[in-house]
Amino acid sequence: MATIALPRLKTPKLPRPDLAALAKSPVAGLGAAAVVFAGALAAVVHLLAAPGDDGVSVRIPLAPALSAAPAGWRETLKTAPAVPLIAKDVVRLSERPLAPDSAAGWSEPTGEAAAPSHAGTALPAAPIAGFFAPGPAGRLPIIAQDGRTPAQAYARPFAPNGRPKVSLVIGGLGLNARATRQAIETLRPEITLSFVVYAEGLQGWIDMARARGHEVLIETPMEPVDYPDNDPGPYTLMADAQPPETVKRLEWILSRATGYFGLTNYLGSRFLASEPAYDAFANSVRGRGLAFIDDGSAARRGGGMPRASAERVIDDKLSPAAIDQQLLALEAGALQRGQALGAGFAYPVTLEKVATWAAEVEQRGYQLAPASALTTRR
């Protein structure tokens, strides 16, 4: 068998592609981008197509992708003009922003409804010109040259409507900031507020109360029968003190703030039982044109100044039911005598019950009145 020798063919050598140059080529970049985009589009169409369908027509807005497309795409693709959707965000600011010091006292909401806020017509800012004069320790109230008194100038205005009048004085304010704010902001402005004379920032509390429409009393510490076991403080008016000493201590008390229409007692069972001691006190109060409202301890005392006495303390027993009963008894007294005055302390339960009661009492045929409206000169 003959053997045929075939010539050996050599594989031609092709030039090695320059990958770096190819990567930089705009044509290659455009092609690669087109392949990737076509693959992505096919995948989307496949996912959106229902089983058994021949195909799905999908319109995809390309405008968001154009900014990242390779050079040349912007010229070759055209998008239909679209109207941009603009949504306005509305931010409502609180109508009652937080006070500067409220953030530190913030606590988790309890889920209970917030107590209503009662803002009455603001009373004139204190001091009012003509009703004060400088004293050894600060401003002292005086009767104006036209004869008007601080009791008249600083009392809340009141117009009777013929209904039985009910009034409340809530005391012990100024020592506990939370309770004081609650009383000022949640109680009806007709409720008279009474402040502890030793309270820090006393004038600020009084200014805040008057700005919310509340008239104000300051509490005068007086000697009780169990003194010194029960000590009302360093400026307590003592039953056995000489009149000049009583006046000196009283002037310190009066100079602690301004804007009050009168005084009320803090304790004082022994002091108020002493006729000489009470006379020295009453003469000084009358001479400065102030009123005196007591918690019932001095109901038989006069003194020639505007006077009123509480006929009951509504929170002698600290329970909601007991306070409700006392408030109903206060209403009954107003029906019998045309007016009735009660007193209470700034306990949380008292503030809550009084806020609810005051919001409803006029619907039962009464008129809620400031304590000054129940005073008479005697």
Side-chain angles (χ1 to χ4, degrees), residues 3-198:
T3 301
I4 301 174
L6 296 176
R8 180 173 294 184
L9 298 178
K10 295 183 178 179
T11 304
K13 292 185 178 179
L14 297 176
R16 181 173 294 181
D18 188 345
L19 297 179
L22 184 60
K24 295 180 180 179
S25 171
V27 175
L30 183 62
V35 170
V36 171
F37 181 79
L41 182 60
V44 171
V45 171
H46 177 73
L47 290 173
L48 293 179
D53 285 355
D54 293 333
V56 168
S57 176
V58 179
R59 178 173 293 178
I60 300 176
L62 300 179
L66 290 180
S67 60
W73 280 58
R74 192 175 299 277
E75 289 75 21
T76 58
L77 296 178
K78 293 183 180 180
T79 57
V83 178
L85 179 62
I86 301 176
K88 282 189 176 182
D89 289 331
V90 179
V91 179
R92 296 185 181 275
L93 298 179
S94 170
E95 296 179 358
R96 191 159 170 263
L98 292 176
D101 60 341
S102 61
W106 185 88
S107 59
E108 281 284 342
T110 60
E112 299 175 359
S117 178
H118 296 288
T121 302
L123 302 182
I128 300 175
F131 293 96
F132 68 91
R139 295 188 180 107
L140 289 171
I142 61 170
I143 299 173
Q145 292 184 353
D146 62 1
R148 293 185 66 216
T149 65
Q152 296 169 324
Y154 292 118
R156 177 181 170 84
F158 177 74
N161 59 13
R163 294 181 175 184
K165 297 186 289 290
V166 287
S167 180
L168 272 178
V169 176
I170 298 298
L173 297 170
L175 295 181
N176 182 299
R178 182 177 181 181
T180 303
R181 282 186 178 275
Q182 183 180 352
I184 291 173
E185 296 179 357
T186 68
L187 297 184
R188 289 274 299 272
E190 294 86 356
I191 303 294
T192 300
L193 303 182
S194 174
F195 288 85
V196 177
V197 73
Y198 302 119

Side-chain angles (χ1 to χ4, degrees), residues 167-169 190-192 215 217 261 293 308 341 369-375:
S167 180
L168 272 178
V169 176
E190 294 86 356
I191 303 294
T192 300
E215 67 179 17
L217 296 166
F261 79 94
I293 295 178
L341 172 64
S372 60
L374 275 60
T375 59

Side-chain angles (χ1 to χ4, degrees), residues 22 34-35 117 172 190 245 263 265 301 365 368:
L22 184 60
V35 170
S117 178
E190 294 86 356
E245 178 63 22
L263 307 176
N265 64 299
R301 296 285 186 188
L368 191 61

Side-chain angles (χ1 to χ4, degrees), residues 345-360:
F345 191 81
Y347 299 116
V349 63
T350 302
L351 296 179
E352 291 172 8
K353 298 306 293 184
V354 168
T356 301
W357 170 81
E360 302 170 350

